[in-house]
Amino acid sequence: MAVPADFTILDITGKFTMNKSLSGDTDTILYLQGVSWIKRKAIQYGTITLFIKHYKDEDSVEHVDIDQTITGGLAGTREERILTWAERSHEDHLFGAVVGKSRRVQVSELPVEEAFLTKDWTTDTVEHGVIQSYVNSDTPKSGTTWIANQTWGMEKVNDERRYCRHVKFTGPKGEDIESRLVYDYLGPL
């Protein structure tokens, strides 16, 4: 389901499910991140729902808090993004030890070699800037090495305005995977 016409990257608060028929492959990325076969199958067959709260704190710093649930008995994750581009360590039951940073950034400021992260966004997303999430494994703690560089925004998919994420993933052996995740809007929180 499309987002409302006035829904923008300036406030992505709402409930969403991943539309697996419109999204790219995630199983290979999860495998390269070290996610077990059983968990990958639960994700493949379950419904992934995001509960997103996007707000500014008393210092006008943007936050994006995401509670994720997965049907099929697999516990979801909680993401607390602070859009300051400061690194934060996190221990995630699905992805292990990670280090991440997030920010709002103009697509023109992203490196040319990251073209996949910059294309197909709506005019208003380009105007306001995408949300960039850069997460890598904490190799000394996790025993693996990977990078998930994402941009989030609105995109036209099959003539519908959708919340999407572009993922540029680099695996342990230099694997380079680009995948678009498309979400159905379920309504406000």
Side-chain angles (χ1 to χ4, degrees), residues 4-16:
D6 62 347
F7 191 93
T8 73
I9 192 62
L10 293 176
D11 185 358
I12 57 173
T13 299
K15 293 184 287 191
F16 301 85

Side-chain angles (χ1 to χ4, degrees), residues 105-176:
V105 62
Q106 295 296 315
V107 295
S108 61
E109 294 176 42
L110 294 167
V112 173
E113 62 272 11
E114 306 290 343
F116 176 72
L117 299 175
T118 69
K119 64 183 184 177
D120 299 327
W121 299 116
T122 59
T123 303
D124 60 294
T125 296
V126 171
E127 176 187 340
H128 299 303
V130 293
I131 293 175
Q132 182 182 17
S133 165
Y134 187 95
V135 178
N136 57 275
S137 58
D138 189 341
T139 303
K141 293 180 183 175
S142 68
T144 188
T145 302
W146 54 263
I147 298 167
N149 193 1
Q150 300 182 32
T151 48
W152 307 350
M154 301 314 127
E155 187 175 333
K156 282 277 192 169
V157 179
N158 297 336
D159 292 322
E160 292 184 320
R161 188 176 168 84
R162 299 286 189 131
Y163 170 60
C164 296
R165 295 179 178 188
H166 292 194
V167 181
K168 184 157 180 61
F169 180 82
T170 306
K173 295 181 180 171
E175 297 91 344
D176 184 16

Side-chain angles (χ1 to χ4, degrees), residues 25-37 39-40 43 94-98 135-139 142-148 167-179:
D25 175 46
T26 58
D27 189 65
T28 303
I29 293 172
L30 293 169
Y31 169 77
L32 293 170
Q33 288 175 307
V35 177
S36 74
W37 181 86
K39 288 182 179 180
R40 291 196 327 270
I43 291 168
L94 191 61
F95 304 111
V98 297
V135 178
N136 57 275
S137 58
D138 189 341
T139 303
S142 68
T144 188
T145 302
W146 54 263
I147 298 167
V167 181
K168 184 157 180 61
F169 180 82
T170 306
K173 295 181 180 171
E175 297 91 344
D176 184 16
I177 300 171
E178 295 175 345
S179 188

Side-chain angles (χ1 to χ4, degrees), residues 49-114:
T49 305
L50 305 179
F51 300 86
I52 302 175
K53 181 181 178 186
H54 187 173
Y55 61 96
K56 288 185 179 180
D57 65 21
E58 60 276 354
D59 296 322
S60 295
V61 174
E62 278 186 276
H63 294 249
V64 180
D65 296 341
I66 304 170
D67 288 307
Q68 187 178 114
T69 63
I70 304 169
T71 59
L74 184 62
T77 61
R78 176 159 177 85
E79 302 174 42
E80 295 177 349
R81 311 289 180 125
I82 302 172
L83 305 188
T84 60
W85 207 233
E87 286 190 346
R88 297 178 58 206
S89 296
H90 176 68
E91 183 69 37
D92 188 278
H93 79 90
L94 191 61
F95 304 111
V98 297
V99 178
K101 55 187 178 179
S102 302
R103 66 179 174 170
R104 178 175 300 282
V105 62
Q106 295 296 315
V107 295
S108 61
E109 294 176 42
L110 294 167
V112 173
E113 62 272 11
E114 306 290 343

